[in-house]
Every structure is written in structure tokens, then in C-alpha cells.
Amino acid sequence: MTKTALITGITGQDGGYLAELLLDKGYMVHGLQRRVSSEPSRRIAHLINHPNLKLHYGDLSDTGSLMKLFDLHLFNEVYNLAAQSHVRVSFDMPEYTAEVDGIGVLKLLECIRTLGMTEHTRFYQASTSELYGKVVETPQSETTPFYPRSPYGVAKQFGFWTVKNYRESYGIHASNGILFNHESPWRGSEFVTQKIVQGVVKIAKGEQSHIELGNLDAERDWGHAKDYVEGMYRMVQHDYGDDYVLATGELHSVRELVEACFDAVDIRLRWEGKPGPDEIGVDENGNTIVKINPDFYRPAEVDLLLGNPTKAKEVLGWKPQYTFVSMIEEMMQFALTN
Ligand code: NAP
Ligand code: F7E
């Protein structure tokens, strides 16, 4: 029997890869899409005419549009990927972020509960390593206490516990994927990996003089989105709902990322000045190609995130295929040729 899935956030980075994965497996895929004034997302443009894909207008802040969707379709699986997903922006829009990233999760689970679908519909929630924030242990696993450091992290904490509560209270097959940063050629250009990749390519092509960044010494565990949507799918197929960390277990700084990208286009980068707002990066001809702009600092920074994915490996058999190096190579290649 054909399975039916709903993906909220289908126009986002992960939504595009998950839609591809589920359509390849023969699913009927429904996607929740916001009405926007520009063309529908480039990430699913190649899937728009797929006979098993149906898009619906709606918004996580609009309960009526969600209820209508759940009333009309029997979803076997719901993947909640929709969110205001930018940590820095969440400081500018804290209330909206709480509404969508926190209360939005509750709205979806209430649709499942009130329509009597608790035994029929499995639920995946896009939780995040930002829950660990100011980390209390390293590496972080499913048992590490949370200490969110942004309105985004706080809103996602509400979502995380709501999922756990609905699982325990109503027996819903609901899982939290605590996903560490994951990137790809489809990553939004305002996230640090894509911003650096696209900036370095423009500098190499002579189209831009320099890139402006914030904290170069933040460290992250960066994986590839394709690997991570496979992990989401495995959580939903498992016998019972649970919470899992997906991460590579490899740590790199923003500074290393900048160096790796310039290296890929044969530009030798040298740092000058002490770490902080006055530090610059120069090329072999003495041109300044990296500047620090304090506008990109955050009111409260998350200095280090490093995940321990042992549980996902042992229980779900999940293992990332990409490394940090192959992920950056793919992003650079895409930016150079598109
Ligand atoms: P993304 O590229 O920013 O995509 C977010 C998606 O949510 C887009 O489709 C966006 O629609 C949609 N959306 C935003 N506000 C909405 C609203 N009010 N109602 C309905 N849809 C809305 O994010 P991503 O990188 O794919 O991440 C997917 C999910 O995983 C997010 O929940 C994010 O918080 C979480 N997460 C991401 C990472 C990561 O490193 N990528 C790590 C951990 C967790 P538009 O296209 O119209 O903007
Ligand atoms: O920042 C530093 C910045 O915006 C990474 C989201 O997908 O992953 C993502 O959140 C680091 C931070 O990702 C710039 O201060 C320096 O320390 O790429 P980012 P993020 O904040 O880690 C988590 C897991 C999510 O759940 C989120 O949805 O890089 N940084 N200079 C900069 N960051 C940005 N964006 N821009 C800069 O110029």
C-alpha cells in the first residue's frame, strides 16, 4: 500500500532532500508551502510536476490551514521541518520564532490527537543541537542537559518537550531528531558555510573584494543534509518513537572553514591582527579578503557543538556517508559551476 507523508518546510534545504527520498521510495508526498510573492523554491522546482507530489498553501502560525489539511488527508507520517531556522534572526523576531518553532509543533500534534489519528500517524520533529547551547558536557548526547542560548533554541526546547509529552501521554509514535549543523549546495546563503562558499567563489572570479564575518572561532559539527534526512526517515520507520542525536562527531571552526574554501580555489590566506573585530584575512598580494563585522556577532553565542551519534548508529544503523571535506568540496563545486 502506498504510504502518505506530509512534509512541513518542504521548500527548505532538508525539505527538498526529504521529498526526493520519499518520492524515490514510492510515497505520496504532501508539502506545506507558504504563499510567497516570488517563484516556488528552487529546491523542489525539479519535483513540482511529480505525480506523487501535492503542495498545499498553509502556515504553522495558521491553525485553520493545518486542521483542514489533516481533516482531508490520512497521513501515515508527518515530518515537521518548518521553522524560522536562523539563530541570529531569532533575536530580531523572538515572538514570531516562538510561535512557529514552539507553538507550531503543538498545533500539529493537536491535529493528530483531536482528529483521532494517534495510532495511525507517526511524527518527526526537527529538533536541534542548539538545545545544548552553552554546553555542559562535550560531546553532547541524548542525555546531555539543555542550555539554549537564543530565542530559537528556547522555542525548539518547547517543541522538543511537547513531542516527548505527547509520546508519553497519548502513545503517539513521535521522535525528536537532535540534529547538529548540516549543510549542502541547497543551504540558505545566510548560514555561515554557504555564505563563505559563495563569497570565496565570487572573490576567486573577481566579482567581490572580500567577505564580512562574525565570530571566526565558533566551532561546529558540520554534516551533509542528505545523510541527515536518511536519519529522519529511519527514526520514523523504527518500532517505537524516541529521541536521537545525528552528528558526525567531527569538530571544525569557522576559521578552518574559511581556510578550506580559499584553499579549494588556490588562494593563499594569511591572518593578520589578534582575534577579534580588528583581525583581517589577506591574500598573497596583500589584498584584504576577510573582514570582521560585529553585526554578525550574536547577543549570546554558542561557542562549541560536537555530537555523539552512537545511539543512532547502534539503534537505527545510521552512519553519515559525507565527511567535512567531501561536504565542502560538493558545495564549492556547485557554487563554481552554477
Ligand atoms: P530552512 O532551509 O530554513 O527551511 C525552513 C522551511 O520552513 C522552509 O520551507 C520555510 O519556508 C518553512 N517555514 C518557515 N516559516 C514557516 C511558517 N511559519 N509556516 C510554514 N513553513 C514555514 O531550514 P533547514 O535547514 O531545511 O532545516 C529544517 C528544519 O530543521 C528546521 O526546523 C530547522 O530549524 C531544523 N534544523 C536545521 C539544522 C541545520 O543545520 N540545517 C539543524 C538542526 C535543526 P520558506 O521557503 O517559505 O521560507
Ligand atoms: O552559524 C558563526 C555563528 O548561522 C554557525 C541552523 O541551521 O544550525 C544552524 O545554526 C556559527 C555561529 O548556524 C558568521 O556565530 C560567524 O557560531 O551557520 P550558522 P547556527 O547558528 O549554528 C543549528 C543546528 C540549527 O538548528 C539552525 O537552524 O558561525 N558565524 N560569522 C556566522 N554565522 C553566520 N550565519 N554569518 C556570519 O557571518
Side-chain angles (χ1 to χ4, degrees):
M1 203 185 73
T2 305
K3 279 191 183 174
T4 301
L6 170 67
I7 305 176
T8 73
I10 194 166
T11 55
Q13 171 189 252
D14 293 5
Y17 285 114
L18 184 63
E20 278 187 348
L21 182 147
L22 295 179
L23 289 169
D24 275 357
K25 290 185 186 294
Y27 275 65
M28 179 68 210
V29 175
H30 294 260
L32 185 78
Q33 179 190 23
R34 295 196 288 181
R35 211 304 284 186
V36 286
S37 64
S38 49
E39 292 297 306
S41 173
R42 63 195 159 93
R43 296 166 178 129
I44 52 166
H46 61 299
L47 302 175
I48 288 290
N49 295 321
H50 196 293
N52 279 5
L53 177 70
K54 183 144 182 49
L55 298 178
H56 308 268
Y57 285 118
D59 197 298
L60 279 202
S61 63
D62 182 48
T63 309
S65 60
L66 304 178
M67 270 290 178
K68 196 173 115 199
L69 205 50
F70 278 81
D71 205 20
L72 286 176
H73 305 279
L74 291 180
F75 299 123
N76 301 102
E77 299 172 10
V78 173
Y79 295 84
N80 181 32
L81 310 185
Q84 189 304 93
S85 71
H86 201 279
V87 174
R88 176 68 191 82
V89 171
S90 77
F91 287 96
D92 301 329
M93 303 173 71
E95 188 182 333
Y96 175 75
T97 304
E99 176 67 29
V100 174
D101 300 13
I103 302 292
V105 185
L106 178 69
K107 286 178 182 175
L108 291 170
L109 287 164
E110 271 295 276
C111 287
I112 294 174
R113 187 184 73 82
T114 57
L115 293 171
M117 302 305 293
T118 51
E119 283 175 20
H120 182 82
T121 304
R122 297 184 174 196
F123 188 81
Y124 172 84
Q125 167 58 13
S127 287
T128 167
S129 52
E130 283 291 308
L131 296 172
Y132 300 120
K134 190 172 179 188
V135 298
V136 300
E137 69 178 9
T138 296
Q140 296 87 48
S141 73
E142 294 79 4
T143 56
T144 304
F146 297 149
Y147 192 148
R149 289 271 277 178
S150 62
Y152 172 78
V154 172
K156 286 281 187 177
Q157 174 140 337
F158 178 89
F160 177 92
W161 283 107
T162 301
V163 167
K164 225 171 154 86
N165 183 248
Y166 271 60
R167 186 166 73 218
E168 292 172 4
S169 304
Y170 307 115
I172 298 181
H173 187 301
S175 299
N176 282 294
I178 308 173
L179 271 49
F180 283 63
N181 299 53
H182 46 280
E183 320 295 313
S184 73
W186 287 351
R187 185 59 144 154
S189 52
E190 69 283 15
F191 295 96
V192 80
T193 50
Q194 189 71 295
K195 182 176 170 181
I196 294 169
V197 163
Q198 290 178 346
V200 166
V201 166
K202 283 192 175 147
I203 292 169
K205 289 181 174 173
E207 295 168 5
Q208 186 174 312
S209 62
H210 65 278
I211 41 180
E212 294 190 1
L213 295 168
N215 180 10
L216 294 177
D217 294 312
E219 294 175 287
R220 290 290 184 277
D221 178 330
W222 279 292
H224 195 295
K226 236 181 198 175
D227 284 332
Y228 288 50
V229 300
E230 171 66 31
M232 296 174 192
Y233 175 74
R234 287 183 184 222
M235 284 178 218
V236 175
Q237 308 318 306
H238 196 58
D239 295 344
Y240 50 87
D242 203 345
D243 309 321
Y244 300 90
V245 161
L246 297 186
T248 67
E250 223 188 297
L251 190 65
H252 298 275
S253 64
V254 174
R255 189 182 293 280
E256 283 174 69
L257 187 62
V258 175
E259 290 163 358
C261 292
F262 277 116
D263 211 36
V265 290
D266 293 326
I267 295 178
R268 301 285 149 251
L269 171 78
R270 194 177 74 248
W271 298 106
E272 285 185 3
K274 68 173 193 323
D278 297 327
E279 189 177 15
I280 53 170
V282 294
D283 68 11
E284 49 269 76
N285 301 316
N287 300 311
T288 300
I289 49 176
V290 183
K291 289 183 185 170
I292 303 302
N293 182 344
D295 284 350
F296 296 114
Y297 289 160
R298 291 159 187 201
E301 175 63 292
V302 171
D303 295 318
L304 178 154
L305 292 172
L306 175 65
N308 173 357
T310 304
K311 180 175 170 184
K313 283 184 179 164
E314 288 179 358
V315 180
L316 305 175
W318 177 81
K319 193 170 179 290
Q321 305 298 310
Y322 282 83
T323 60
F324 174 76
V325 169
S326 61
M327 183 268 290
I328 295 293
E329 269 172 13
E330 190 185 294
M331 290 180 75
M332 284 297 291
Q333 197 50 39
F334 186 85
L336 282 162
T337 51
N338 284 276

